[in-house]
Amino acid sequence: MEKLVNRLEKRGWSKKEIINTVNIIRNAKHNKTQENLFIERRIYWILLVIIIAANFAISVALIPVLMALKGIFLYFVIITLGIVFGLLFEIVIRSIEHLEKQHHQLLAILIPLIALANVFIISKISNNLTSILGIANVHNSISIAVVYAASFVLPYIVYRFIFKIEYYAKE
Protein backbone atom coordinates (compact mmCIF):
# COMPACT_ATOMS: atom_id res chain seq x y z
CA MET A 1 0.00 0.00 0.00
CA GLU A 2 2.97 2.27 0.51
CA LYS A 3 3.62 2.46 -3.24
CA LEU A 4 -0.03 3.27 -3.85
CA VAL A 5 0.08 6.09 -1.30
CA ASN A 6 3.22 7.50 -2.94
CA ARG A 7 1.63 7.38 -6.41
CA LEU A 8 -1.52 9.09 -5.16
CA GLU A 9 0.52 11.80 -3.41
CA LYS A 10 2.43 12.44 -6.65
CA ARG A 11 -0.88 12.87 -8.45
CA GLY A 12 -1.94 15.56 -5.98
CA TRP A 13 -4.46 13.64 -3.87
CA SER A 14 -5.16 15.05 -0.42
CA LYS A 15 -4.30 13.05 2.72
CA LYS A 16 -8.00 12.52 3.45
CA GLU A 17 -8.66 11.15 -0.05
CA ILE A 18 -5.66 8.83 0.21
CA ILE A 19 -6.73 7.51 3.64
CA ASN A 20 -10.29 6.90 2.39
CA THR A 21 -9.00 5.10 -0.71
CA VAL A 22 -6.61 2.90 1.26
CA ASN A 23 -9.37 2.04 3.75
CA ILE A 24 -11.74 1.10 0.92
CA ILE A 25 -9.11 -1.16 -0.65
CA ARG A 26 -8.25 -2.81 2.68
CA ASN A 27 -11.92 -3.40 3.50
CA ALA A 28 -12.55 -4.83 0.04
CA LYS A 29 -9.64 -7.26 0.44
CA HIS A 30 -10.81 -8.39 3.88
CA ASN A 31 -14.49 -8.74 2.92
CA LYS A 32 -14.03 -11.06 -0.06
CA THR A 33 -16.27 -14.10 -0.10
CA GLN A 34 -14.87 -17.63 -0.24
CA GLU A 35 -16.20 -18.00 -3.79
CA ASN A 36 -14.45 -14.80 -4.84
CA LEU A 37 -11.17 -15.92 -3.29
CA PHE A 38 -11.48 -19.33 -4.96
CA ILE A 39 -11.96 -17.78 -8.40
CA GLU A 40 -9.30 -15.13 -7.88
CA ARG A 41 -6.68 -17.76 -7.05
CA ARG A 42 -7.56 -19.78 -10.14
CA ILE A 43 -8.33 -17.07 -12.68
CA TYR A 44 -4.79 -17.08 -14.04
CA TRP A 45 -4.88 -20.80 -14.83
CA ILE A 46 -8.43 -20.59 -16.16
CA LEU A 47 -7.34 -17.74 -18.41
CA LEU A 48 -4.33 -19.73 -19.59
CA VAL A 49 -6.54 -22.70 -20.55
CA ILE A 50 -9.02 -20.41 -22.32
CA ILE A 51 -6.24 -18.71 -24.30
CA ILE A 52 -4.79 -22.08 -25.33
CA ALA A 53 -8.22 -23.32 -26.42
CA ALA A 54 -8.95 -20.08 -28.29
CA ASN A 55 -5.57 -20.25 -30.03
CA PHE A 56 -6.38 -23.77 -31.13
CA ALA A 57 -9.82 -22.67 -32.38
CA ILE A 58 -8.25 -19.81 -34.33
CA SER A 59 -5.74 -22.22 -35.82
CA VAL A 60 -8.48 -24.63 -36.89
CA ALA A 61 -10.44 -21.75 -38.42
CA LEU A 62 -7.36 -20.98 -40.55
CA ILE A 63 -7.61 -24.29 -42.43
CA PRO A 64 -10.02 -23.02 -45.11
CA VAL A 65 -8.04 -19.79 -45.42
CA LEU A 66 -4.81 -21.73 -45.86
CA MET A 67 -6.42 -23.95 -48.47
CA ALA A 68 -7.96 -21.09 -50.44
CA LEU A 69 -5.44 -18.27 -50.34
CA LYS A 70 -1.79 -17.90 -51.21
CA GLY A 71 0.80 -15.20 -51.47
CA ILE A 72 0.30 -11.71 -50.13
CA PHE A 73 -3.44 -12.22 -49.51
CA LEU A 74 -2.79 -15.20 -47.26
CA TYR A 75 -0.18 -13.34 -45.23
CA PHE A 76 -2.42 -10.28 -44.97
CA VAL A 77 -5.24 -12.41 -43.49
CA ILE A 78 -2.84 -14.20 -41.13
CA ILE A 79 -1.27 -10.94 -39.94
CA THR A 80 -4.70 -9.35 -39.45
CA LEU A 81 -6.01 -12.33 -37.47
CA GLY A 82 -2.83 -12.46 -35.39
CA ILE A 83 -2.99 -8.77 -34.50
CA VAL A 84 -6.73 -8.81 -33.76
CA PHE A 85 -6.60 -11.86 -31.52
CA GLY A 86 -3.32 -10.74 -29.95
CA LEU A 87 -4.94 -7.42 -29.07
CA LEU A 88 -7.99 -9.19 -27.69
CA PHE A 89 -5.88 -11.36 -25.40
CA GLU A 90 -3.69 -8.39 -24.47
CA ILE A 91 -6.77 -6.50 -23.29
CA VAL A 92 -8.05 -9.51 -21.33
CA ILE A 93 -4.70 -10.12 -19.64
CA ARG A 94 -4.23 -6.43 -18.90
CA SER A 95 -7.66 -6.24 -17.25
CA ILE A 96 -6.82 -8.84 -14.60
CA GLU A 97 -5.46 -6.54 -11.94
CA HIS A 98 -4.01 -9.00 -9.45
CA LEU A 99 -1.57 -10.65 -11.87
CA GLU A 100 2.03 -10.09 -10.95
CA LYS A 101 5.14 -9.64 -13.06
CA GLN A 102 6.00 -13.35 -13.22
CA HIS A 103 2.46 -14.15 -14.42
CA HIS A 104 2.83 -11.70 -17.30
CA GLN A 105 6.30 -12.97 -18.15
CA LEU A 106 5.05 -16.56 -18.33
CA LEU A 107 2.11 -15.52 -20.50
CA ALA A 108 4.41 -13.45 -22.74
CA ILE A 109 6.55 -16.52 -23.41
CA LEU A 110 4.04 -19.36 -23.31
CA ILE A 111 1.19 -17.94 -25.40
CA PRO A 112 3.29 -17.07 -28.48
CA LEU A 113 4.93 -20.51 -28.33
CA ILE A 114 1.52 -22.16 -28.20
CA ALA A 115 0.28 -19.99 -31.07
CA LEU A 116 3.39 -20.91 -33.07
CA ALA A 117 2.92 -24.62 -32.46
CA ASN A 118 -0.83 -24.55 -33.17
CA VAL A 119 -0.51 -22.71 -36.47
CA PHE A 120 2.43 -24.90 -37.52
CA ILE A 121 0.43 -28.07 -36.91
CA ILE A 122 -2.70 -26.68 -38.60
CA SER A 123 -0.62 -25.53 -41.57
CA LYS A 124 0.76 -29.05 -41.92
CA ILE A 125 -2.78 -30.44 -41.75
CA SER A 126 -3.91 -27.91 -44.35
CA ASN A 127 -1.04 -28.92 -46.65
CA ASN A 128 -2.02 -32.60 -46.26
CA LEU A 129 -5.67 -31.80 -47.02
CA THR A 130 -4.76 -29.81 -50.12
CA SER A 131 -2.64 -32.67 -51.41
CA ILE A 132 -5.42 -35.21 -50.69
CA LEU A 133 -7.98 -33.00 -52.45
CA GLY A 134 -5.61 -32.32 -55.36
CA ILE A 135 -5.41 -28.59 -54.72
CA ALA A 136 -2.06 -27.09 -55.68
CA ASN A 137 -1.80 -24.68 -52.75
CA VAL A 138 0.96 -25.88 -50.43
CA HIS A 139 2.50 -23.41 -47.97
CA ASN A 140 5.66 -23.30 -45.90
CA SER A 141 4.33 -24.25 -42.45
CA ILE A 142 7.21 -22.62 -40.60
CA SER A 143 6.77 -19.22 -42.26
CA ILE A 144 2.99 -19.29 -41.74
CA ALA A 145 3.46 -20.13 -38.04
CA VAL A 146 6.16 -17.51 -37.49
CA VAL A 147 4.12 -14.76 -39.19
CA TYR A 148 1.02 -15.59 -37.13
CA ALA A 149 2.93 -15.83 -33.83
CA ALA A 150 4.79 -12.57 -34.52
CA SER A 151 1.51 -10.82 -35.35
CA PHE A 152 -0.09 -12.29 -32.25
CA VAL A 153 2.69 -10.93 -30.02
CA LEU A 154 2.80 -7.51 -31.68
CA PRO A 155 0.14 -5.89 -29.44
CA TYR A 156 2.03 -7.02 -26.32
CA ILE A 157 5.29 -5.64 -27.70
CA VAL A 158 3.67 -2.33 -28.59
CA TYR A 159 2.05 -1.90 -25.16
CA ARG A 160 5.02 -3.12 -23.14
CA PHE A 161 8.05 -1.78 -24.99
CA ILE A 162 6.88 1.09 -27.18
CA PHE A 163 4.21 2.62 -24.91
CA LYS A 164 6.14 1.31 -21.87
CA ILE A 165 2.94 0.33 -20.06
CA GLU A 166 3.55 -2.02 -17.14
CA TYR A 167 0.23 -3.28 -15.89
CA TYR A 168 1.09 -6.02 -13.47
CA ALA A 169 0.42 -5.56 -9.79
CA LYS A 170 3.23 -3.48 -8.31
CA GLU A 171 2.09 -3.68 -4.72
Side-chain angles (χ1 to χ4, degrees), residues 47-116:
L47 176 67
L48 189 59
V49 168
I50 290 171
I51 290 174
I52 290 168
N55 259 319
F56 181 73
I58 294 165
S59 300
V60 170
L62 277 176
I63 289 176
V65 172
L66 290 168
M67 291 175 67
L69 298 177
K70 58 179 150 181
I72 192 80
F73 297 112
L74 174 66
Y75 287 101
F76 176 75
V77 170
I78 289 172
I79 289 169
T80 303
L81 284 174
I83 290 173
V84 167
F85 286 109
L87 183 60
L88 176 69
F89 292 126
E90 172 66 22
I91 291 169
V92 168
I93 291 168
R94 191 172 355 118
S95 68
I96 300 176
E97 296 171 358
H98 72 277
L99 293 184
E100 296 175 4
K101 187 174 185 173
Q102 66 268 16
H103 293 124
H104 285 280
Q105 288 171 339
L106 179 65
L107 287 173
I109 294 168
L110 188 61
I111 298 304
L113 289 176
I114 291 169
L116 185 71

Side-chain angles (χ1 to χ4, degrees), residues 13-43:
W13 287 39
S14 70
K15 289 287 184 191
K16 183 179 178 183
E17 291 171 327
I18 293 172
I19 291 169
N20 286 339
T21 302
V22 169
N23 286 337
I24 290 170
I25 292 171
R26 281 192 183 131
N27 288 337
K29 286 182 179 180
H30 292 302
N31 294 331
K32 288 183 181 178
T33 65
Q34 289 298 323
E35 295 84 13
N36 192 355
L37 290 171
F38 177 83
I39 297 235
E40 190 175 279
R41 287 186 201 115
R42 285 151 185 86
I43 193 76

